[in-house]
Amino acid sequence: MRVEVNRASGFRGTFAAPGDKSVSHRAMILAAISRGECRISSLAPGADVRSTAACLAALGVEVRIDRGEAVVRGTGPGGLRAPAGPLDCGNSGTTMRLLSGIVAGAGLPAVLDGDPSLRRRPMRRLLDPLRAMGARARGQGAEVEADERAPLVFEAGARLVGRRHALPVASAQVKSALLLAGLWAVGETVVREPGRSRDHTERMLEAFGVPVSRGEDGAVGVLGPAPPLGVPEAFPVPGDPSSAAFLVGAALLVEGGEATVTGVCANDTRTGFLRVLARMGADVRQVDRGSRGGEPVADLVVRGSPGSLRGTRIEPDEVPSLVDEVPLLAMVAAVARGTTTIRGAAELRVKESDRLSQVARGLAAMGARVRELPDGLEIQGGAPLRGADVDAASDHRIAMSFAVAGLAAHGATRIRGAEWADVSFPGFFSLLAAASGGAVRP
Ligand code: S3P
C-alpha cells in the first residue's frame, strides 16, 4: 500500500494512545504460565501481539482476543504442551525472544520461526546464555557467520540451572527471556546489562507474585524454581509511548499543531525521547494521570513549534530508553536548527530493518543533510525538506517516521509499504489524515 503525505497547514486532535506492545506481550505470557483467568484490557492492537497470542494457543493456552481485550486462561508453568508445528512469530522479535525463554524453561521441543525480517535478526545473544543454563537449542547459519538466526530449534527435556549473565548489549528482550527461563531453573538467574533497558518484565513478575532481586549495579534476578503465585483477574495495559511518539512528532513539526495523547506509559525506561525533545526546545507537557498495570501513566500535551527546535546530542547511555524512537527523533532533528548527533545506537541496525541506513537514505532523498555513522547519525537540520518516494523497508517505525517528516516537507511524500504500520499501530494513517485536515491520503 502506498500512502501520500503532503505538507500540513494544521494538526489537531486528542488521541488515546493504543495499548503498549511490550506490556501486552508480557501480560499475555505471564498470564499463560499462571493458573486462572486474566482479562487484559487495552491490549496493543497490532499484528505483533497477535503473533504472541497465536503462539501461546499453539502451546496449549486458551487465549481469546475480542475488541481490544484478551482473556487468557493460564495453564500454570507445568501445563504448557509441545506445539504441533513451528511457532510463527511473524515480524515480532519480542515474541520470538520471550517465548524462547518459555520453551527453554519448560523444556518443550519447539521450533520458533518468523517472517524474512525476523529471520535476519541476531539470535546468538539469546541462545548462548540459554545454553549456558542448560537449554539444548540452536539457530541457523552458525557455520557461515558468527551469529545464529531463526528458525530456532529447541529440544525436549533440558533441565535448566540458574546463572549470572552479563549481556554485551542492553536488551530488554534478552533480559526478559532469561528471567522467564529462570522461573523454571534451579537456583538464581541474574542478568546484568551495560545500560538500563525497559523494566516491564521485572515489574510484572512482582505483580504476579514472583520476587525479583535488584543489585546496585542494576542487575536483576529471580530465584528458581519460582512459579507465578497469582494471576490478577484484570490487567489494564497502559498506552504505548513508542506509538504516541509519532503523534507527538507530527504535532510538533506542524506550525500551530496542537495534540494531546492520553494515558501514555511514563516509565522512565521508555521516555528518553521526551527528555531529548525537551532539550531540543519542544513544547511537550506531561500531565500525571496515576498508574495502570503497575506503570505510571501521563497525558502528553504538545504544541507545534518547528521554528523553535534546535539540535542536540543523544549519548550512548540514553539509547536504551529511546531505542525505538531514534527514527522519529531523526525526523525532528532534520527540521530543528543546528546539528544533532546520535551515538551508541548500533543496535538499530538489527531491528526490523537497518534503521540507521533507512533513515539516512530517506532523509537524504528528502533533501536533509545527514551522515550515517557506524553507530548513529549526524544530521544538520534546518534545510527545507522536500517530498520524496520512501520505502518502509518492511518496518513499521520507518513507515510512520517518514509520514511525520512528510507533514513538514514541501510537495508529496509517497510511502511505499505503509501497511507495515499495522505491526504496531493499525489505523495510524487514518488518524494522521483526520488530524492534519486531509494532508494524508491513505
Ligand atoms: C522490546 C525491547 C526492545 C525494543 C522492542 C521491544 C521489548 O528491544 O526495540 O521494540 O518489548 O522487550 P531490545 O531491548 O531487545 O533492544
Side-chain angles (χ1 to χ4, degrees):
M1 175 178 117
R2 189 189 286 248
V3 166
E4 188 181 294
V5 182
N6 291 284
R7 186 173 173 87
S9 52
F11 191 91
R12 210 170 253 277
T14 296
F15 313 91
D20 187 71
K21 188 155 82 70
S22 291
V23 171
S24 298
H25 287 294
R26 288 161 171 79
M28 285 202 295
I29 291 172
L30 281 184
I33 60 169
S34 304
R35 249 181 256 284
E37 193 172 277
C38 183
R39 302 182 89 81
I40 304 166
S41 54
S42 313
L43 193 75
D48 273 10
V49 164
R50 286 178 187 270
S51 295
T52 291
C55 291
L56 290 173
L59 290 164
V61 180
E62 224 182 277
V63 190
R64 273 181 290 121
I65 298 183
D66 188 23
R67 274 168 291 171
E69 183 176 84
V71 182
V72 180
R73 179 173 287 281
T75 61
L80 298 175
R81 62 159 197 254
L87 296 173
D88 181 2
C89 304
N91 188 246
S92 174
T94 311
T95 305
M96 177 164 284
R97 295 196 175 119
L98 268 56
L99 288 182
S100 290
I102 297 286
V103 299
L108 295 170
V111 175
L112 284 88
D113 203 356
D115 74 0
S117 150
L118 186 50
R119 278 185 170 201
R120 282 193 292 271
R121 298 180 66 180
M123 294 294 158
R124 177 161 286 175
R125 54 178 63 190
L126 165 78
L127 295 176
D128 268 348
L130 286 174
R131 285 188 288 246
M133 295 171 77
R136 285 197 293 269
R138 68 194 137 76
Q140 316 299 312
E143 35 325 296
V144 287
E145 56 165 351
D147 212 315
E148 290 169 74
R149 318 268 165 196
L152 309 181
V153 182
F154 288 83
E155 287 172 29
R159 187 98 181 91
L160 302 193
V161 183
R163 282 265 179 280
R164 301 186 79 80
H165 304 281
L167 305 186
V169 204
S171 165
Q173 294 178 351
V174 175
K175 171 182 64 178
S176 301
L178 299 174
L179 292 175
L180 291 171
L183 299 179
W184 282 269
V186 177
E188 201 179 10
T189 300
V190 178
V191 187
R192 187 159 51 84
E193 298 181 282
R196 193 164 160 248
S197 69
R198 61 195 70 190
D199 63 355
H200 306 304
T201 302
E202 297 90 300
R203 287 170 181 254
M204 216 181 287
L205 280 169
E206 286 173 325
F208 280 69
V210 178
V212 174
S213 65
R214 287 178 174 79
E216 269 172 22
D217 55 357
V220 289
V222 292
L223 180 59
L229 290 180
V231 53
E233 274 173 35
F235 192 98
V237 176
D240 197 326
S242 302
S243 296
F246 296 109
L247 300 169
V248 170
L252 260 187
L253 295 193
V254 176
E255 192 59 58
E258 271 187 23
T260 301
V261 193
T262 61
V264 181
C265 175
N267 177 326
D268 66 358
T269 62
R270 296 289 300 281
T271 51
F273 76 100
L274 292 173
R275 296 185 282 279
V276 169
L277 288 177
R279 287 207 303 266
M280 296 179 86
D283 185 351
V284 183
R285 246 178 342 116
Q286 266 191 77
V287 182
D288 191 5
R289 293 287 180 216
S291 67
R292 240 177 113 74
E295 300 279 352
V297 291
D299 294 348
L300 305 180
V301 184
V302 193
R303 278 176 191 279
S305 47
S308 52
L309 296 170
R310 52 184 180 268
T312 188
R313 288 180 65 85
I314 300 180
E315 303 291 350
D317 63 349
E318 295 183 278
V319 168
S321 70
L322 47 76
V323 65
D324 292 333
E325 288 69 65
V326 169
L328 184 264
L329 290 171
M331 305 299 138
V332 177
V335 171
R337 262 175 300 120
T339 304
T340 294
T341 319
I342 305 169
R343 300 307 301 260
E347 268 304 280
L348 268 83
R349 296 199 181 280
V350 293
K351 294 292 179 187
E352 286 83 330
S353 71
D354 177 341
R355 288 181 174 163
L356 296 181
S357 113
Q358 294 304 332
V359 164
R361 187 178 305 175
L363 276 181
M366 295 180 82
R369 282 165 298 171
V370 50
R371 195 155 71 90
E372 190 177 335
L373 309 172
D375 65 339
L377 295 165
E378 189 183 272
I379 298 161
Q380 318 265 349
L385 295 179
R386 54 169 190 267
D389 286 2
V390 180
D391 185 17
S394 314
D395 188 332
H396 51 136
R397 300 205 198 277
I398 296 296
M400 292 187 277
S401 295
F402 281 105
V404 170
L407 293 174
H410 296 274
T413 299
R414 278 173 291 271
I415 299 166
R416 217 176 25 249
E419 70 279 6
W420 281 95
D422 294 353
V423 158
S424 60
F425 199 162
F428 171 73
F429 284 101
S430 308
L431 282 187
L432 223 55
S436 65
V440 177
R441 283 190 222 119

